[in-house]
């Protein structure tokens, strides 16, 4: 497989921030993204969705635009 093949997208969303990480099958971090809080109980469902997308897109951008 290509060394830039994404094996895992991990997202941690909480009350203060949202982090997204892209990892290849060797465990190498390809990109990281960070955004605002995404706990839907705090910010609401629509805002949480937007923040999750923002963090994930930032991770892809950090990885060199692998989309």
């Amino acid at each position: 497989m290509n060394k830039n093949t994404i094996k895992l997208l991990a997202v941690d969303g909480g009350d203060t921030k949202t982090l997204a990480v892209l990892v290849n099958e060797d465990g190498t971090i390809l990109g990281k993204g960070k955004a605002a809080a995404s706990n839907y109980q705090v910010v609401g469902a629509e805002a949480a969705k937007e923040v999750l997308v923002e963090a994930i897109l930032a991770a892809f951008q950090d990885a060199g635009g692998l989309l």
Side-chain angles (χ1 to χ4, degrees):
M1 287 189 131
N2 181 326
K3 71 177 183 171
N4 289 330
T5 299
I6 297 166
K7 185 69 172 177
L8 175 69
L9 164 63
V11 180
D12 176 18
D15 291 348
T16 60
K17 66 184 175 299
T18 301
L19 301 173
V21 179
L22 299 169
V23 179
N24 70 9
E25 62 183 24
D26 296 330
T28 301
I29 294 174
L30 302 174
K32 298 178 188 176
K34 184 176 179 182
S38 63
N39 181 332
Y40 76 94
Q41 294 174 326
V42 175
V43 300
E46 188 61 32
K49 181 183 84 172
E50 291 173 10
V51 170
L52 289 168
V53 169
E54 180 183 343
I56 292 167
L57 289 176
F60 274 98
Q61 184 175 9
D62 186 50
L66 294 175
L67 278 178

